[in-house]
């Protein structure tokens, strides 16, 4: 119901009201990038008021739906996100009349897209961890639970947006070390541990489940307590992943912690390790036997 009411408002509001809203809403700054309309853009938008509504409504709603399809958008961010998209499309629309040369028009529209991208990313990053760094995105999502101050939140978001820019330019870029250094600047170890455990929770569960499933298939679980072993495995893998994340820029500390953890791995993990080792040894022996037979008949 809220969703339908929102789009009813977005599509039926009068052109003059939209223009007034545009000039007010477009006057703020987000992350040091100005979203303000230029005098030239405002002049054109007023002159071509009658052409605005139908064009901008359709384009901005389509852009909104494209983001909804690709990302998770929090309900309380719907209005702000739609406003950003409308403002962006108004400014781009103005350049249909400002720039005569197609190349310059396209360049200006690309520049406007870039300006608004940071503000759009700021809304999406806490719920969509593939846009920026996963660790810093999770910290932003858990800001209220961790009682992160506004100043620290703004600092983390600024860094997260920087990582998002880097990732758009190079999707394979790795900034895990820089990301962790940033988190250590503003959060305590316990807070970071909470963030990382939440980020890794599903992976640690899946890894534990797969091991238990392998052991069950091999009929090796009869003497094991499934609940206890699943709990211990999830704790084990959660710690393993925490050490790899937290000490990403300190190989010696990472190795020492992982070695110590490995000594106390749960019984189910030890059994699975032994099973994998046995399979590998058997496969190597089988391959070696094949080579000997092949050499025997070679001429």
């Amino acid at each position: 119901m809220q969703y339908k009411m929102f789009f009813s408002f977005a599509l039926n509001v009068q052109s003059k009201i939209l223009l007034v809203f545009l000039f007010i809403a477009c006057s703020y700054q987000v992350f040091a990038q100005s979203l303000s309309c230029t005098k030239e853009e405002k002049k054109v938008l007023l002159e071509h008021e009658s052409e605005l509504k139908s064009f901008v409504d359709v384009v901005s709603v389509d852009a909104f739906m494209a983001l909804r399809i690709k990302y998770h958008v929090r309900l309380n961010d719907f209005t702000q996100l739609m406003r950003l998209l409308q403002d962006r499309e108004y400014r781009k629309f103005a350049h249909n009349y400002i720039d005569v040369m197609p190349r310059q028009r396209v360049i200006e529209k690309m520049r406007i897209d870039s300006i608004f991208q940071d503000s759009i990313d700021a809304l999406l990053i806490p719920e969509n961890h593939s846009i920026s760094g996963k660790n810093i995105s999770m910290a932003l999502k858990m800001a209220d639970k961790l009682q992160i101050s506004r100043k620290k939140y703004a600092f983390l978001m600024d860094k997260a947006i920087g990582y998002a820019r880097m990732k758009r330019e190079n999707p394979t870029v790795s900034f895990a070390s820089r990301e962790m250094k940033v988190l250590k600047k503003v959060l305590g170890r316990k807070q970071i541990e909470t963030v990382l455990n939440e980020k890794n929770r599903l992976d640690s569960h899946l890894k534990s489940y797969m091991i238990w499933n392998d052991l069950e298939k091999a009929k090796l679980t009869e003497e094991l307590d499934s609940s206890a072993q699943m709990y211990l495995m999830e704790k084990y893998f959660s710690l393993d992943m925490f050490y790899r994340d937290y000490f990403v820029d300190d190989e010696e500390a990472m190795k020492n912690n992982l070695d110590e953890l490995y000594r106390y791995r749960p019984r189910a993990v030890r059994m699975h390790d032994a099973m994998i080792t046995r399979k590998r040894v058997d496969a190597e022996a089988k391959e070696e036997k094949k080579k000997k037979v092949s050499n025997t008949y070679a001429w």
Side-chain angles (χ1 to χ4, degrees):
M1 181 62 71
Q2 290 179 333
Y3 182 79
K4 290 181 179 179
M5 290 174 64
F6 169 71
F7 275 104
S8 175
F9 168 79
L11 292 170
N12 295 315
V13 67
Q14 295 298 314
S15 298
K16 287 185 179 180
I17 297 176
L18 281 173
L19 281 171
V20 170
F21 170 76
L22 172 67
F23 299 147
I24 295 173
C26 241
S27 64
Y28 58 86
Q29 291 187 334
V30 178
F31 305 110
Q33 293 209 41
S34 175
L35 304 180
S36 303
C37 297
T38 66
K39 290 182 180 179
E40 195 173 20
E41 287 169 348
K42 290 180 182 180
K43 181 175 180 294
V44 169
L45 292 174
L46 287 171
E47 289 175 354
H48 297 274
E49 175 186 338
S50 61
E51 302 170 43
L52 285 171
K53 189 179 186 320
S54 59
F55 176 82
V56 172
D57 278 348
V58 171
V59 175
S60 54
V61 168
D62 283 358
F64 179 88
M65 290 308 302
L67 289 175
R68 289 275 288 123
I69 291 169
K70 189 174 182 180
Y71 302 109
H72 172 64
V73 182
R74 294 174 298 195
L75 185 61
N76 58 350
D77 288 332
F78 276 21
T79 301
Q80 188 177 354
L81 180 59
M82 189 64 185
R83 287 174 179 174
L84 285 168
L85 295 171
Q86 284 181 322
D87 292 351
R88 184 187 71 183
E89 296 308 323
Y90 275 123
R91 292 192 60 184
K92 288 166 67 176
F93 181 88
H95 286 271
N96 292 338
Y97 300 89
I98 295 172
D99 305 302
V100 177
M101 301 301 292
R103 177 181 174 80
Q104 184 60 31
R105 182 166 61 249
V106 170
I107 288 174
E108 283 301 311
K109 289 184 179 183
M110 289 172 66
R111 184 183 65 81
I112 291 169
D113 279 336
S114 178
I115 289 172
F116 277 84
Q117 190 62 55
D118 285 355
S119 298
I120 293 169
D121 282 347
L123 296 178
L124 298 176
I125 283 172
E127 294 293 332
N128 302 275
H129 304 164
S130 62
I131 296 174
S132 181
K134 290 184 179 180
N135 297 330
I136 202 168
S137 299
M138 182 59 76
L140 290 166
K141 180 177 181 177
M142 301 178 71
D144 289 340
K145 181 178 180 179
L146 297 172
Q147 297 182 318
I148 296 175
S149 68
R150 289 185 179 182
K151 184 177 180 180
K152 288 182 177 180
Y153 186 94
F155 174 79
L156 291 175
M157 181 58 79
D158 185 65
K159 296 296 183 181
I161 286 173
Y163 299 145
R165 293 175 192 158
M166 292 166 58
K167 203 165 184 179
R168 278 196 300 274
E169 291 179 7
N170 179 11
T172 62
V173 67
S174 175
F175 38 75
S177 179
R178 281 172 286 183
E179 188 182 7
M180 189 52 57
K181 285 178 182 177
V182 166
L183 290 178
K184 288 177 180 178
K185 277 186 179 180
V186 296
L187 302 179
R189 175 161 173 152
K190 281 292 184 184
Q191 288 176 306
I192 295 175
E193 189 171 354
T194 300
V195 169
L196 296 179
N197 286 345
E198 181 61 24
K199 186 206 71 169
N200 296 326
R201 182 169 55 84
L202 180 59
D203 286 342
S204 63
H205 173 76
L206 289 176
K207 200 163 185 177
S208 302
Y209 176 81
M210 289 174 65
I211 286 177
W212 185 260
N213 193 45
D214 285 348
L215 292 176
E216 268 195 327
K217 287 179 180 178
K219 302 186 184 304
L220 297 173
T221 60
E222 292 181 4
E223 297 181 6
L224 298 178
D225 182 324
S226 61
S227 298
Q229 286 300 312
M230 281 296 292
Y231 172 79
L232 291 172
M233 283 195 290
E234 288 184 17
K235 293 289 288 183
Y236 172 78
F237 288 119
S238 183
L239 264 175
D240 179 273
M241 293 174 192
F242 168 75
Y243 291 145
R244 293 177 192 278
D245 286 334
Y246 192 80
F247 296 111
V248 66
D249 56 348
D250 188 341
E251 290 186 10
E252 185 176 356
M254 183 193 297
K255 184 180 183 303
N256 290 338
N257 280 277
L258 289 175
D259 287 348
E260 182 68 15
L261 178 65
Y262 184 76
R263 290 173 55 198
Y264 298 99
R265 64 197 189 284
R267 185 181 177 188
V269 175
R270 295 198 307 271
M271 290 174 66
H272 190 262
D273 288 346
M275 186 179 74
I276 295 299
T277 299
R278 185 169 61 250
K279 285 183 178 180
R280 177 176 55 80
V281 171
D282 289 346
E284 289 174 353
K286 190 175 181 180
E287 186 63 29
E288 185 63 27
K289 186 176 181 180
K290 280 184 181 179
K291 287 181 180 179
K292 287 181 180 180
V293 171
S294 178
N295 291 334
T296 299
Y297 291 96
W299 59 77

